[in-house]
Amino acid sequence: MSEFTVSKIFPSDKVNQAKVTQLLEDAGIKRDQNLDYTCGIFEDDGTLIATGSLFANTLRCFAICKRYSGAALLNILVTHLISIQFERGNTHLFVYTKPETSKFFKDLGFYTIAEIPHLVTFMENRKSGFADYLKKLKDESKTTQESAAIVMNANPFTLGHLHLVEKAAAENKVVHLFMVSQDSSLIPFKVRKELILAGTAHLNNIVYHETGPYIISQATFPSYFQKDQESVIRSQAQLDLSIFVAIAKELSISRRYVGDEPTSVVTNLYNRIMQENLPQNGINCTIIPRIESDGQAISASTVRQYIKEDNLSAIKALVPQSTFDYLNRPEAQEIIDNIQKQANVIHY
């Protein structure tokens, strides 16, 4: 296979990008919307026989022509993509793959974090990566007593988020608050974290954790080998919950609080799957009704829509004072400008 070389396929190269899409479709894979690097292996006549891509610190969208069976081309692709990641400064890498192809990645130095049979395997290139993360969480906790948990994106932190945290804090001795730290939201993680910490500073039984790469966001979960949108949501929810159960066992978490979301298809389906699965693992799932303002449920989507409409005054009734103050500071202007440029700021 030494005669084969890997070539970068530029976004502007419409002809070869179309070949990538076709090769993926031939393999039963939909092209992922989140790709920032794509490469391919070509025959002398320009026929694309293998492709793979990157997004952030993940490897994704692999397809090999049926005429080239075995793992040799996959090996060449993965070696190339890992070298690109290392050039970018990314050394902790992740891959989502079908369970039936996970063996190829194991042979290339990847280790399984979690797997949903017949759906998806989530892997990383560090043997003790997830174990090290669990140890970090335990070191941050400094307690072994029974506790509750919340996983929160807070894009941005609203009175709805505050109500959820205060409810959990009032009903439990310890609450682990996991802040989704992937930067795939309109408001950067550094700011979201600042707003969460400021908005909950009056509560003394919260333990704060960054999710790192393990509790993944909807924006970065790969959809390319799922047959429809509901399958994508279900597989991510099941994968998330598999990881969360491992975390819960480590931290003695027996209850997870989530907010009701009357307008989001994704969150409603997530909540249903949590209600089905968490009790089977000894974890109660408590869904808290959304609080309202003027008869409308408070949500981060509504806040973002007001920002898009340049109606900051309407936000005051929906967010803690600390969030409102931040959005009116000069350093928030870049974020506000970015939100106002978006075609849509409401989550599906």
Side-chain angles (χ1 to χ4, degrees), residues 262-343:
T263 62
S264 170
V265 174
V266 173
T267 305
N268 278 326
L269 182 53
Y270 250 63
N271 287 352
R272 288 209 310 272
I273 294 170
M274 277 193 276
Q275 284 183 304
E276 294 166 6
N277 288 269
L278 287 181
Q280 298 172 17
N281 292 279
I283 303 168
N284 176 270
C285 181
T286 302
I287 297 180
I288 303 300
R290 291 276 176 149
I291 59 171
E292 297 183 349
S293 175
D294 292 332
Q296 182 181 11
I298 294 175
S299 75
S301 290
T302 304
V303 173
R304 293 193 302 274
Q305 185 62 36
Y306 280 138
I307 294 173
K308 178 175 171 59
E309 296 167 359
D310 199 22
N311 188 6
L312 290 186
S313 61
I315 295 171
K316 192 170 180 63
L318 307 180
V319 300
Q321 188 65 42
S322 50
T323 297
F324 185 75
D325 289 345
Y326 175 82
L327 291 171
N328 282 278
R329 296 210 303 255
E331 57 262 42
Q333 192 58 49
E334 184 177 349
I335 295 170
I336 290 172
D337 290 344
N338 184 40
I339 291 174
Q340 290 176 348
K341 291 175 186 174
Q342 303 301 313

Coordinates of all heavy atoms in Angstrom, one line a residue, residues 262-343:
P262 N -40.5 22.7 27.1 CA -41.7 22.5 26.2 C -41.6 22.8 24.8 O -42.4 22.3 24.0 CB -42.7 23.5 26.9 CG -41.9 24.5 27.6 CD -40.7 23.8 28.0
T263 N -40.5 23.5 24.4 CA -40.4 23.9 23.0 C -39.3 23.2 22.2 O -39.2 23.3 21.0 CB -40.1 25.4 22.9 OG1 -38.9 25.7 23.5 CG2 -41.3 26.2 23.5
S264 N -38.5 22.3 22.9 CA -37.4 21.7 22.2 C -37.6 20.2 22.0 O -37.8 19.4 23.0 CB -36.1 21.9 23.1 OG -35.1 21.0 22.6
V265 N -37.6 19.8 20.8 CA -37.8 18.3 20.5 C -36.6 17.5 21.0 O -36.8 16.4 21.6 CB -37.8 18.1 18.9 CG1 -37.9 16.7 18.6 CG2 -39.0 18.9 18.3
V266 N -35.4 18.1 20.9 CA -34.2 17.3 21.4 C -34.3 17.1 22.9 O -34.1 16.0 23.4 CB -32.9 18.1 21.0 CG1 -31.7 17.5 21.6 CG2 -32.8 18.2 19.5
T267 N -34.5 18.2 23.6 CA -34.5 18.1 25.1 C -35.7 17.2 25.6 O -35.5 16.4 26.5 CB -34.6 19.5 25.7 OG1 -33.6 20.3 25.2 CG2 -34.5 19.4 27.3
N268 N -36.8 17.3 25.0 CA -37.9 16.4 25.4 C -37.6 15.0 25.2 O -37.9 14.1 26.1 CB -39.2 16.8 24.6 CG -39.9 18.0 25.2 OD1 -39.9 18.1 26.4 ND2 -40.6 18.8 24.3
L269 N -37.0 14.6 24.1 CA -36.6 13.2 23.8 C -35.5 12.8 24.8 O -35.5 11.7 25.3 CB -36.1 13.1 22.4 CG -35.7 11.7 21.9 CD1 -36.9 10.7 22.2 CD2 -35.4 11.7 20.4
Y270 N -34.5 13.7 25.0 CA -33.5 13.4 26.0 C -34.1 13.1 27.4 O -33.7 12.1 28.1 CB -32.6 14.7 26.2 CG -31.2 14.5 25.6 CD1 -31.0 14.2 24.3 CD2 -30.1 14.6 26.4 CE1 -29.7 14.1 23.7 CE2 -28.8 14.5 25.9 CZ -28.6 14.2 24.6 OH -27.4 14.1 24.1
N271 N -35.0 13.9 27.8 CA -35.7 13.8 29.1 C -36.4 12.4 29.2 O -36.3 11.7 30.2 CB -36.6 14.9 29.4 CG -35.9 16.2 29.7 OD1 -34.7 16.2 29.9 ND2 -36.7 17.3 29.8
R272 N -37.1 12.0 28.1 CA -37.8 10.8 28.1 C -36.8 9.6 28.2 O -37.0 8.6 29.0 CB -38.6 10.6 26.8 CG -39.8 11.5 26.7 CD -40.9 10.8 25.9 NE -40.5 10.4 24.6 CZ -40.4 11.1 23.5 NH1 -40.8 12.4 23.6 NH2 -40.0 10.6 22.4
I273 N -35.7 9.7 27.5 CA -34.7 8.6 27.6 C -34.1 8.5 28.9 O -33.8 7.4 29.5 CB -33.6 8.8 26.5 CG1 -34.3 8.6 25.1 CG2 -32.5 7.8 26.6 CD1 -33.4 9.1 23.9
M274 N -33.8 9.7 29.6 CA -33.3 9.7 30.9 C -34.3 9.1 31.9 O -33.9 8.3 32.8 CB -32.9 11.1 31.4 CG -31.6 11.6 30.9 SD -31.0 13.1 31.7 CE -31.9 14.3 30.7
Q275 N -35.5 9.4 31.8 CA -36.5 8.8 32.7 C -36.6 7.3 32.5 O -36.9 6.6 33.5 CB -37.9 9.5 32.4 CG -38.1 10.9 33.0 CD -39.4 11.4 32.7 OE1 -39.9 11.5 31.6 NE2 -40.1 11.8 33.8
E276 N -36.4 6.8 31.3 CA -36.4 5.4 31.0 C -35.2 4.7 31.6 O -35.3 3.6 32.1 CB -36.5 5.1 29.5 CG -37.8 5.6 28.9 CD -37.7 5.6 27.4 OE1 -36.7 5.1 26.8 OE2 -38.7 6.1 26.7
N277 N -34.0 5.3 31.4 CA -32.7 4.6 31.6 C -32.1 4.8 33.0 O -31.5 3.9 33.6 CB -31.7 5.0 30.6 CG -32.0 4.4 29.2 OD1 -31.6 3.3 28.9 ND2 -32.8 5.1 28.4
L278 N -32.2 6.1 33.5 CA -31.5 6.3 34.8 C -32.0 5.5 36.0 O -31.1 5.0 36.7 CB -31.6 7.8 35.1 CG -30.7 8.7 34.3 CD1 -30.8 10.2 34.7 CD2 -29.2 8.3 34.3
P279 N -33.3 5.3 36.2 CA -33.7 4.5 37.3 C -33.2 3.1 37.2 O -33.0 2.4 38.3 CB -35.3 4.5 37.2 CG -35.6 5.8 36.5 CD -34.4 6.0 35.5
Q280 N -33.0 2.6 36.0 CA -32.4 1.2 35.9 C -31.0 1.1 36.5 O -30.5 0.0 36.7 CB -32.4 0.8 34.4 CG -33.8 0.7 33.8 CD -33.7 0.5 32.3 OE1 -32.7 0.0 31.8 NE2 -34.8 0.7 31.6
N281 N -30.4 2.3 36.6 CA -29.0 2.3 37.2 C -29.0 2.9 38.6 O -28.0 3.4 39.0 CB -28.1 3.1 36.2 CG -27.9 2.4 34.9 OD1 -27.1 1.5 34.8 ND2 -28.6 2.8 33.9
G282 N -30.2 3.0 39.2 CA -30.2 3.5 40.6 C -30.2 5.0 40.8 O -29.8 5.5 41.8
I283 N -30.5 5.7 39.7 CA -30.5 7.1 39.7 C -31.9 7.7 39.4 O -32.4 7.4 38.4 CB -29.5 7.7 38.7 CG1 -28.1 7.1 38.9 CG2 -29.4 9.2 38.7 CD1 -27.1 7.3 37.8
N284 N -32.4 8.5 40.3 CA -33.7 9.1 40.1 C -33.5 10.3 39.1 O -32.6 11.1 39.2 CB -34.2 9.6 41.4 CG -35.5 10.3 41.3 OD1 -35.6 11.6 41.1 ND2 -36.6 9.6 41.3
C285 N -34.5 10.4 38.2 CA -34.5 11.5 37.3 C -35.6 12.5 37.6 O -36.8 12.1 37.5 CB -34.6 11.0 35.8 SG -34.6 12.3 34.6
T286 N -35.3 13.7 38.1 CA -36.3 14.6 38.5 C -36.4 15.8 37.5 O -35.4 16.5 37.2 CB -35.8 15.2 39.9 OG1 -35.7 14.2 40.8 CG2 -36.9 16.2 40.4
I287 N -37.5 15.9 36.8 CA -37.7 16.9 35.8 C -38.5 18.1 36.5 O -39.6 17.9 37.1 CB -38.5 16.4 34.6 CG1 -37.8 15.3 33.9 CG2 -38.9 17.5 33.7 CD1 -38.5 14.7 32.7
I288 N -37.9 19.2 36.5 CA -38.4 20.4 37.1 C -39.1 21.3 36.1 O -38.5 21.6 35.0 CB -37.3 21.3 37.8 CG1 -36.5 20.4 38.8 CG2 -37.8 22.5 38.4 CD1 -37.3 19.8 39.9
P289 N -40.4 21.6 36.3 CA -41.1 22.5 35.3 C -40.4 23.8 35.2 O -39.8 24.4 36.1 CB -42.5 22.7 36.0 CG -42.6 21.5 36.9 CD -41.2 21.2 37.4
R290 N -40.4 24.4 34.0 CA -39.8 25.7 33.7 C -40.6 26.8 34.4 O -41.8 26.8 34.4 CB -39.8 26.0 32.2 CG -38.9 25.1 31.4 CD -37.5 25.6 31.4 NE -36.6 24.7 30.7 CZ -35.5 25.1 30.1 NH1 -35.2 26.4 30.1 NH2 -34.7 24.3 29.5
I291 N -39.9 27.7 35.0 CA -40.6 28.9 35.5 C -40.9 29.8 34.3 O -40.3 29.7 33.3 CB -39.7 29.6 36.6 CG1 -38.4 30.1 36.0 CG2 -39.5 28.8 37.8 CD1 -37.6 31.0 36.9
E292 N -41.9 30.7 34.5 CA -42.3 31.5 33.4 C -42.2 33.0 33.7 O -42.1 33.4 34.9 CB -43.8 31.2 33.2 CG -44.1 29.8 32.7 CD -45.6 29.6 32.4 OE1 -46.4 30.4 32.7 OE2 -45.9 28.5 31.8
S293 N -42.2 33.8 32.6 CA -42.2 35.2 32.7 C -43.3 35.7 31.7 O -43.2 35.4 30.5 CB -40.8 35.8 32.3 OG -40.9 37.2 32.3
D294 N -44.3 36.4 32.2 CA -45.4 36.8 31.4 C -46.0 35.7 30.7 O -46.4 35.8 29.5 CB -45.0 37.9 30.4 CG -44.6 39.2 31.1 OD1 -45.1 39.5 32.2 OD2 -43.8 40.0 30.6
G295 N -46.2 34.5 31.3 CA -46.9 33.4 30.8 C -46.0 32.6 29.8 O -46.5 31.6 29.2
Q296 N -44.8 32.9 29.6 CA -43.9 32.2 28.7 C -42.7 31.6 29.4 O -42.1 32.2 30.3 CB -43.3 33.2 27.6 CG -42.5 32.5 26.6 CD -41.9 33.5 25.6 OE1 -42.0 34.7 25.7 NE2 -41.3 33.0 24.5
A297 N -42.5 30.3 29.1 CA -41.4 29.6 29.8 C -40.1 30.3 29.5 O -39.8 30.7 28.4 CB -41.3 28.1 29.3
I298 N -39.3 30.5 30.6 CA -38.0 31.1 30.4 C -37.0 30.1 29.8 O -36.8 29.0 30.3 CB -37.4 31.6 31.7 CG1 -38.3 32.8 32.3 CG2 -36.0 32.1 31.6 CD1 -38.0 33.2 33.7
S299 N -36.3 30.5 28.7 CA -35.3 29.6 28.1 C -34.2 30.5 27.5 O -34.3 31.7 27.2 CB -36.0 28.8 26.9 OG -36.2 29.6 25.8
A300 N -33.0 29.8 27.4 CA -31.9 30.5 26.8 C -32.1 30.9 25.4 O -31.6 31.9 24.9 CB -30.6 29.6 27.0
S301 N -32.9 30.0 24.7 CA -33.2 30.4 23.3 C -33.9 31.7 23.2 O -33.7 32.5 22.3 CB -34.1 29.3 22.7 OG -33.4 28.1 22.5
T302 N -34.9 32.0 24.1 CA -35.6 33.2 24.1 C -34.7 34.4 24.3 O -34.7 35.4 23.7 CB -36.7 33.2 25.2 OG1 -37.6 32.1 24.9 CG2 -37.5 34.5 25.1
V303 N -33.7 34.2 25.3 CA -32.7 35.2 25.6 C -31.9 35.5 24.3 O -31.7 36.7 24.0 CB -31.9 34.8 26.8 CG1 -30.7 35.9 27.0 CG2 -32.7 34.7 28.0
R304 N -31.4 34.5 23.7 CA -30.6 34.7 22.5 C -31.4 35.4 21.4 O -30.9 36.2 20.6 CB -30.1 33.3 21.9 CG -29.1 32.7 22.9 CD -28.3 31.5 22.2 NE -29.2 30.5 21.7 CZ -29.7 29.5 22.4 NH1 -29.3 29.4 23.7 NH2 -30.5 28.6 21.9
Q305 N -32.7 35.1 21.3 CA -33.6 35.7 20.2 C -33.7 37.2 20.5 O -33.6 38.0 19.6 CB -34.9 35.1 20.2 CG -35.8 35.6 19.1 CD -35.3 35.3 17.7 OE1 -34.7 34.3 17.4 NE2 -35.5 36.3 16.8
Y306 N -33.8 37.6 21.8 CA -33.9 39.0 22.2 C -32.6 39.7 21.9 O -32.6 40.8 21.4 CB -34.2 39.2 23.6 CG -35.7 39.0 24.0 CD1 -36.1 38.3 25.1 CD2 -36.7 39.6 23.2 CE1 -37.5 38.1 25.4 CE2 -38.0 39.4 23.5 CZ -38.4 38.7 24.6 OH -39.8 38.6 24.9
I307 N -31.5 39.0 22.1 CA -30.2 39.6 21.8 C -30.1 39.8 20.3 O -29.6 40.8 19.8 CB -29.0 38.6 22.3 CG1 -29.0 38.6 23.8 CG2 -27.7 39.1 21.7 CD1 -28.0 37.6 24.3
K308 N -30.5 38.8 19.5 CA -30.5 38.9 18.0 C -31.3 40.1 17.6 O -30.9 40.8 16.6 CB -31.0 37.6 17.4 CG -31.1 37.6 15.9 CD -31.5 36.3 15.3 CE -31.8 36.4 13.8 NZ -30.6 36.8 13.1
E309 N -32.4 40.3 18.2 CA -33.3 41.4 17.9 C -32.8 42.8 18.5 O -33.5 43.8 18.3 CB -34.7 41.1 18.3 CG -35.3 39.9 17.6 CD -36.6 39.4 18.3 OE1 -37.0 40.0 19.3 OE2 -37.2 38.5 17.8
D310 N -31.7 42.7 19.2 CA -31.1 43.9 19.8 C -32.1 44.5 20.8 O -32.3 45.8 20.9 CB -30.8 45.0 18.8 CG -29.8 46.0 19.3 OD1 -29.1 45.7 20.3 OD2 -29.7 47.1 18.8
N311 N -32.7 43.6 21.6 CA -33.7 44.0 22.6 C -33.2 43.6 24.0 O -33.9 42.8 24.6 CB -35.1 43.4 22.2 CG -36.2 43.9 23.1 OD1 -36.0 44.9 23.9 ND2 -37.4 43.4 23.0
L312 N -32.1 44.2 24.4 CA -31.5 43.7 25.7 C -32.4 44.1 26.9 O -32.4 43.3 27.9 CB -30.1 44.4 25.9 CG -29.0 43.9 24.9 CD1 -27.7 44.6 25.4 CD2 -28.9 42.4 24.9
S313 N -33.2 45.1 26.8 CA -34.1 45.4 27.9 C -35.1 44.3 28.2 O -35.4 44.1 29.4 CB -34.8 46.8 27.6 OG -35.6 46.6 26.5
A314 N -35.5 43.6 27.2 CA -36.4 42.5 27.4 C -35.8 41.3 28.1 O -36.5 40.5 28.7 CB -37.0 42.0 26.1
I315 N -34.5 41.3 28.2 CA -33.8 40.2 28.8 C -33.8 40.3 30.3 O -33.8 39.3 31.0 CB -32.3 40.1 28.3 CG1 -32.3 39.8 26.8 CG2 -31.5 39.1 29.1 CD1 -30.9 39.9 26.2
K316 N -34.0 41.5 30.8 CA -33.8 41.7 32.3 C -34.7 40.8 33.1 O -34.3 40.4 34.2 CB -34.1 43.2 32.6 CG -33.7 43.6 34.0 CD -33.7 45.1 34.2 CE -33.3 45.5 35.6 NZ -31.9 45.2 35.9
A317 N -35.9 40.5 32.6 CA -36.9 39.7 33.4 C -36.6 38.2 33.3 O -37.2 37.4 34.0 CB -38.3 40.0 32.9
L318 N -35.6 37.8 32.5 CA -35.3 36.4 32.2 C -34.0 35.9 32.7 O -33.8 34.7 32.8 CB -35.3 36.2 30.7 CG -36.6 36.7 29.9 CD1 -36.4 36.4 28.4 CD2 -37.8 36.0 30.4
V319 N -33.1 36.8 33.2 CA -31.8 36.4 33.6 C -31.5 37.0 35.0 O -32.0 38.0 35.4 CB -30.7 36.8 32.6 CG1 -31.0 36.2 31.2 CG2 -30.7 38.3 32.5
P320 N -30.5 36.3 35.7 CA -30.0 36.9 37.0 C -29.4 38.3 36.7 O -28.9 38.5 35.6 CB -29.0 35.9 37.5 CG -29.4 34.6 36.8 CD -29.9 35.0 35.5
Q321 N -29.3 39.1 37.7 CA -28.6 40.4 37.5 C -27.2 40.3 37.0 O -26.8 41.1 36.2 CB -28.6 41.2 38.9 CG -28.2 42.6 38.7 CD -29.1 43.5 37.9 OE1 -30.3 43.4 38.0 NE2 -28.6 44.4 37.1
S322 N -26.5 39.3 37.4 CA -25.1 39.1 37.0 C -25.0 38.8 35.5 O -24.1 39.3 34.8 CB -24.5 37.9 37.8 OG -25.3 36.8 37.8
T323 N -26.0 38.1 34.9 CA -26.0 37.8 33.5 C -26.3 39.1 32.7 O -25.7 39.5 31.8 CB -27.0 36.7 33.1 OG1 -26.6 35.5 33.7 CG2 -27.1 36.5 31.6
F324 N -27.3 39.8 33.2 CA -27.7 41.1 32.6 C -26.6 42.1 32.6 O -26.3 42.8 31.6 CB -29.0 41.6 33.3 CG -29.5 42.9 32.7 CD1 -30.3 42.7 31.5 CD2 -29.4 44.1 33.2 CE1 -30.8 43.9 30.9 CE2 -29.9 45.3 32.6 CZ -30.6 45.1 31.4
D325 N -25.9 42.2 33.8 CA -24.8 43.1 33.9 C -23.7 42.8 32.9 O -23.1 43.7 32.2 CB -24.2 43.1 35.3 CG -25.2 43.8 36.3 OD1 -26.1 44.5 35.9 OD2 -24.9 43.6 37.5
Y326 N -23.4 41.5 32.7 CA -22.3 41.1 31.8 C -22.7 41.5 30.4 O -21.9 42.0 29.6 CB -22.1 39.6 31.8 CG -21.1 39.2 30.8 CD1 -19.7 39.3 31.0 CD2 -21.5 38.7 29.6 CE1 -18.8 39.0 30.0 CE2 -20.6 38.4 28.6 CZ -19.3 38.5 28.8 OH -18.4 38.2 27.8
L327 N -24.0 41.2 30.0 CA -24.4 41.5 28.6 C -24.4 43.0 28.3 O -24.4 43.4 27.1 CB -25.8 40.9 28.3 CG -25.8 39.4 28.3 CD1 -27.3 38.9 28.2 CD2 -25.0 38.8 27.1
N328 N -24.3 43.8 29.3 CA -24.3 45.2 29.1 C -22.9 45.8 29.2 O -22.7 47.0 29.1 CB -25.2 45.9 30.0 CG -26.7 45.8 29.6 OD1 -27.1 46.6 28.7 ND2 -27.4 44.9 30.1
R329 N -21.9 44.9 29.4 CA -20.5 45.4 29.5 C -19.9 45.4 28.1 O -20.3 44.7 27.2 CB -19.7 44.4 30.4 CG -20.2 44.4 31.9 CD -19.0 44.1 32.9 NE -18.3 42.9 32.6 CZ -18.5 41.8 33.3 NH1 -19.4 41.7 34.3 NH2 -17.8 40.7 33.1
P330 N -18.9 46.3 27.9 CA -18.3 46.4 26.6 C -17.7 45.1 26.0 O -17.8 44.8 24.9 CB -17.2 47.4 26.8 CG -17.6 48.2 28.0 CD -18.4 47.3 28.9
E331 N -17.2 44.2 27.0 CA -16.5 43.0 26.5 C -17.5 42.0 25.9 O -17.1 41.0 25.3 CB -15.7 42.4 27.6 CG -16.5 42.0 28.9 CD -16.3 43.1 29.9 OE1 -16.3 44.3 29.6 OE2 -16.1 42.7 31.1
A332 N -18.8 42.2 26.2 CA -19.9 41.3 25.6 C -20.2 41.7 24.2 O -20.9 40.9 23.5 CB -21.1 41.3 26.5
Q333 N -19.8 42.8 23.7 CA -20.3 43.3 22.4 C -19.9 42.3 21.3 O -20.7 42.1 20.4 CB -19.7 44.7 22.1 CG -20.4 45.4 20.9 CD -21.9 45.5 21.1 OE1 -22.3 46.0 22.2 NE2 -22.7 45.1 20.1
E334 N -18.7 41.7 21.3 CA -18.3 40.8 20.3 C -19.3 39.6 20.2 O -19.7 39.1 19.1 CB -16.9 40.3 20.5 CG -16.4 39.4 19.4 CD -14.9 39.0 19.6 OE1 -14.3 39.6 20.5 OE2 -14.5 38.1 18.8
I335 N -19.7 39.1 21.4 CA -20.6 38.0 21.5 C -22.0 38.4 20.9 O -22.6 37.7 20.1 CB -20.7 37.5 22.9 CG1 -19.4 36.9 23.4 CG2 -21.8 36.4 23.0 CD1 -19.3 36.5 24.8
I336 N -22.4 39.6 21.3 CA -23.7 40.1 20.9 C -23.7 40.2 19.4 O -24.7 39.8 18.7 CB -24.0 41.4 21.6 CG1 -24.3 41.2 23.1 CG2 -25.2 42.1 20.9 CD1 -24.5 42.4 23.9
D337 N -22.6 40.8 18.8 CA -22.5 41.0 17.4 C -22.6 39.6 16.6 O -23.3 39.5 15.6 CB -21.2 41.6 17.0 CG -21.2 43.1 17.4 OD1 -22.2 43.7 17.7 OD2 -20.1 43.7 17.5
N338 N -21.9 38.6 17.2 CA -22.0 37.3 16.6 C -23.4 36.7 16.6 O -23.8 36.1 15.6 CB -21.0 36.4 17.3 CG -20.9 35.0 16.7 OD1 -20.9 34.9 15.5 ND2 -20.8 33.9 17.5
I339 N -24.1 36.8 17.7 CA -25.4 36.3 17.8 C -26.3 37.0 16.8 O -27.2 36.3 16.2 CB -26.0 36.4 19.3 CG1 -25.2 35.5 20.2 CG2 -27.5 36.2 19.3 CD1 -25.6 35.7 21.7
Q340 N -26.2 38.3 16.7 CA -27.0 39.0 15.8 C -26.8 38.7 14.3 O -27.6 38.9 13.4 CB -26.8 40.5 16.0 CG -27.4 41.0 17.4 CD -27.2 42.4 17.7 OE1 -26.4 43.1 17.0 NE2 -27.8 42.9 18.7
K341 N -25.6 38.1 14.0 CA -25.3 37.7 12.6 C -25.9 36.3 12.3 O -26.0 36.0 11.1 CB -23.8 37.6 12.4 CG -23.0 38.9 12.5 CD -21.5 38.7 12.4 CE -20.7 39.9 12.5 NZ -19.3 39.7 12.6
Q342 N -26.3 35.6 13.3 CA -26.8 34.2 13.0 C -28.2 34.2 12.4 O -29.1 35.1 12.7 CB -26.9 33.4 14.4 CG -25.6 33.3 15.1 CD -24.5 32.7 14.3 OE1 -24.7 31.6 13.7 NE2 -23.3 33.3 14.3
A343 N -28.4 33.3 11.5 CA -29.7 33.2 10.8 C -30.8 32.7 11.8 O -31.9 33.0 11.8 CB -29.6 32.3 9.6

